[in-house]
Amino acid sequence: MELVSSIVEGINNCLWGIPMIGLLFGTHLFLTFRTGFIQRRTFTGIRLSVTRDPDSHGDISQFAALTTALASTIGTGNIIGVGTAIALGGPGAVLWCWLTGVFGIATKYGESLIAVKYRVRTKDGTMLGGAMYALERGLGMRWLGITFAVLGTLTSFGIGCGVQVNAISSIVNSNVAPVIMAGSEGLKSFLATYPWSISLAVGLVTGGITCLVIFGGVKSIARVCEKLVPFMAFFYVMGCLVILFINRAFLGQTLSVIFKSAFTEVRSIAGGLAGTGIMMSARYGIARGLFSNESGMGSAPIVAAAAQTRNPVRQALVSATGTFWDTVVVCLMTGLVLVSSIIGHDTINVTNLSGGELTNAAFSLIPYIGQPILIVGIITFAYSTILGWSYYGERCLEYLMGKRGVIPYRVAWIAVLVAAPVMQLELVWSIADTLNALMAIPNLIAVLLLSGVIAKETKYYLANLDERDNALIPLIGDQGVLPLLKK
């Protein structure tokens, strides 16, 4: 097992090294210019996300599609991952993470556009789309679409299911078990005999709740995400704002340190915090941003294809705001909270704490309710990721097997949720990272080879923008969406 772990780790170091980071960030920059800086339309996308498109085809509203995508991208990485980036790459990693989000908006826009453009409709009226359909219908590369679907299915069970419920189990164990141990002797003895009991209970509860949601299909998942995602994001951001208010005297210094250490080595700041030079700062900041917003991974466009929209450009604008909320807002808030807390409080020392411990220490600055806010944040972020990725994996398997694979997939998903909390998932994490990187490659091929289509659709739509209703102009002629297929 140790040999397997070391082999997987070596593969990950290669896959997630400079070449992959360069490929992803390079695609972000290329599509930014190819789309004429589509980031300028971010606020248009935000407005469109809460505006219905009447008489349009699709399974769920555009807002529901956005929140379902955000459910999978706003995860524990936004809380713990940013702390890890700061610990390893210095405070400058915050700026590089933020820049990755800004430029990543263009890639999320492009991959969502082709997902909607090349989507298909099944006999029962369900919309299916994603990189696999874009590769098959747009480029005639079905074999590469199959590769993407296989990788997406396997990845979903790891990063989207097992490791997420394990994170929920860990936070419950670390906060519930001590309370029980301090309680009755009977419960204390029971836990000593069956130390896995709390983890199993977490798996059973999570599996039971998830079962009720995912067996209702995408509409059921979307209804839950529409309510859960705004709540959890607002809850977490409000906690961050309270901490920033507590640290308000250090915000000016915080911004200065982040900018300076992104390009130079700041040798001594506070709490063991120091710059690491531009290469380390950029490496960890960019990598964290890429992991966080999933721009270029090809996951979020799968649900974008289910949205009720008249043309692909409209939904692409909406989907692109997911990267804005995830990285440009949530990750930035976390970064400012951590760096200002390290600078302003001697008790928080980056040299002695991991990424998760840094975040925990920062939220402890809020009297009484700081840690509960963080606990609720981690649990809801992890659970929302479970819901989002369950849909991604299901659609990938449906591409491979058709409808007959849906029910077995859902049963297997629940089984993994129940079993994962009592398992050691370090190797699963590593394998999931490998599959995630491999999953990005065929998606990036689709985005880059179809960049001309993306640019053409974008130019047509934006040229016909109407100030009174900039959402309802359909694409016509040879610019139009391809006829939906029966499959």
Side-chain angles (χ1 to χ4, degrees):
M1 187 61 70
E2 290 183 5
L3 177 61
V4 175
S5 297
S6 62
I7 292 174
V8 173
E9 187 64 29
I11 294 173
N12 278 339
N13 289 337
C14 178
L15 285 175
W16 285 108
I18 299 299
M20 177 59 75
I21 291 175
L23 177 61
L24 278 165
F25 198 66
T27 301
H28 294 349
L29 292 173
F30 173 73
L31 286 179
T32 293
F33 288 100
R34 198 80 168 91
T35 59
F37 288 84
I38 199 64
Q39 291 88 339
R40 295 180 295 116
R41 303 291 181 174
T42 296
F43 292 103
T44 298
I46 292 173
R47 181 161 57 82
L48 293 180
S49 68
V50 293
T51 305
R52 288 191 177 275
D53 188 359
D55 303 321
S56 56
H57 298 287
D59 303 326
I60 56 178
S61 70
Q62 290 184 292
F63 181 72
L66 173 62
T67 53
T68 303
L70 282 172
S72 63
T73 53
I74 298 182
T76 53
N78 296 80
I79 300 176
I80 299 172
V82 176
T84 302
I86 292 171
L88 298 175
V94 176
L95 178 61
W96 288 107
C97 179
W98 185 80
L99 288 173
T100 301
V102 171
F103 289 108
I105 289 172
T107 301
K108 183 65 67 70
Y109 169 84
E111 62 186 1
S112 298
L113 189 154
I114 59 176
V116 177
K117 179 174 178 61
Y118 296 109
R119 66 183 178 177
V120 301
R121 183 168 53 197
T122 63
K123 292 179 180 179
D124 63 4
T126 302
M127 292 291 190
L128 303 176
M132 52 279 201
Y133 294 96
L135 286 163
E136 178 184 348
R137 299 186 64 202
L139 295 169
M141 302 171 70
R142 176 167 166 74
W143 65 272
L144 197 54
I146 292 173
T147 301
F148 175 88
V150 170
L151 292 169
T153 302
L154 295 174
T155 301
S156 69
F157 281 101
I159 197 170
C161 184
V163 297
Q164 299 301 329
V165 72
N166 201 261
I168 296 174
S169 175
S170 296
I171 197 72
V172 171
N173 268 292
S174 60
N175 289 275
V176 174
V179 175
I180 294 177
M181 296 293 279
S184 69
E185 288 298 322
L187 289 174
K188 185 175 181 179
S189 175
F190 179 82
L191 275 184
T193 306
Y194 306 104
W196 42 263
S197 57
I198 293 180
S199 297
L200 180 60
V202 169
L204 289 170
V205 171
T206 306
I209 295 173
T210 304
C211 181
L212 296 175
V213 178
I214 69 173
F215 272 86
V218 65
K219 293 182 180 180
S220 176
I221 294 172
R223 280 195 300 269
V224 174
C225 291
E226 276 185 302
K227 297 177 176 59
L228 179 60
V229 170
F231 161 77
M232 72 183 195
F234 177 79
F235 193 71
Y236 178 72
V237 168
M238 288 304 296
C240 289
L241 290 175
V242 171
I243 298 173
L244 291 177
F245 179 77
I246 294 172
N247 297 338
R248 60 190 181 280
F250 312 105
L251 292 182
Q253 185 182 356
T254 296
L255 293 173
S256 176
V257 164
I258 288 174
F259 276 92
K260 287 181 180 179
S261 59
F263 303 104
T264 59
E265 182 176 351
V266 182
R267 294 190 176 278
S268 180
I269 303 169
L273 188 62
T276 56
I278 184 171
M279 287 304 296
M280 291 290 285
S281 180
R283 175 187 172 185
Y284 287 105
I286 292 173
R288 181 64 267 151
L290 295 175
F291 268 120
S292 175
N293 60 53
E294 296 183 11
S295 292
M297 307 304 293
S299 51
I302 295 174
V303 72
Q308 296 166 346
T309 187
R310 187 174 299 191
N311 62 68
V313 176
R314 174 186 171 119
Q315 179 56 38
L317 287 170
V318 173
S319 295
T321 64
T323 298
F324 172 80
W325 293 119
D326 177 87
T327 308
V328 179
V329 176
V330 177
C331 282
L332 176 62
M333 295 286 286
T334 303
L336 292 175
V337 161
L338 296 182
V339 177
S340 64
S341 297
I342 294 168
I343 291 175
H345 304 275
D346 295 336
T347 55
I348 302 178
N349 194 311
V350 71
T351 58
N352 300 325
L353 300 174
S354 66
E357 291 168 336
L358 277 175
T359 309
N360 186 61
F363 272 81
S364 296
L365 296 174
I366 305 177
Y368 306 112
I369 63 171
Q371 287 188 318
I373 289 175
L374 184 60
I375 292 169
V376 171
I378 291 176
I379 291 175
T380 54
F381 280 22
Y383 182 68
S384 69
T385 300
I386 290 171
L387 294 182
W389 268 96
S390 72
Y391 180 77
Y392 298 159
E394 179 181 308
R395 285 297 181 251
C396 286
L397 187 63
E398 186 171 350
Y399 178 81
L400 298 169
M401 299 179 61
K403 289 290 184 183
R404 67 181 182 274
V406 171
I407 298 301
Y409 173 87
R410 293 174 181 174
V411 172
W413 189 266
I414 302 302
V416 172
L417 285 178
V418 174
V422 296
M423 299 168 59
Q424 295 295 322
L425 292 184
E426 287 80 4
L427 180 58
V428 177
W429 243 127
S430 298
I431 294 173
D433 286 345
T434 302
L435 294 172
N436 224 10
L438 294 174
M439 182 179 168
I441 295 173
N443 179 65
L444 291 175
I445 290 173
V447 170
L448 292 172
L449 293 183
L450 292 171
S451 62
V453 174
I454 294 169
K456 192 176 181 181
E457 298 273 6
T458 302
K459 183 178 180 181
Y460 172 83
Y461 180 79
L462 297 182
N464 289 279
L465 206 63
D466 188 301
E467 292 300 327
R468 293 170 301 170
D469 188 353
N470 65 354
L472 301 181
I473 301 171
L475 298 178
I476 58 175
D478 63 350
Q479 299 279 341
V481 180
L482 293 176
L484 298 177
L485 301 180
K486 299 291 185 183
K487 184 169 182 176

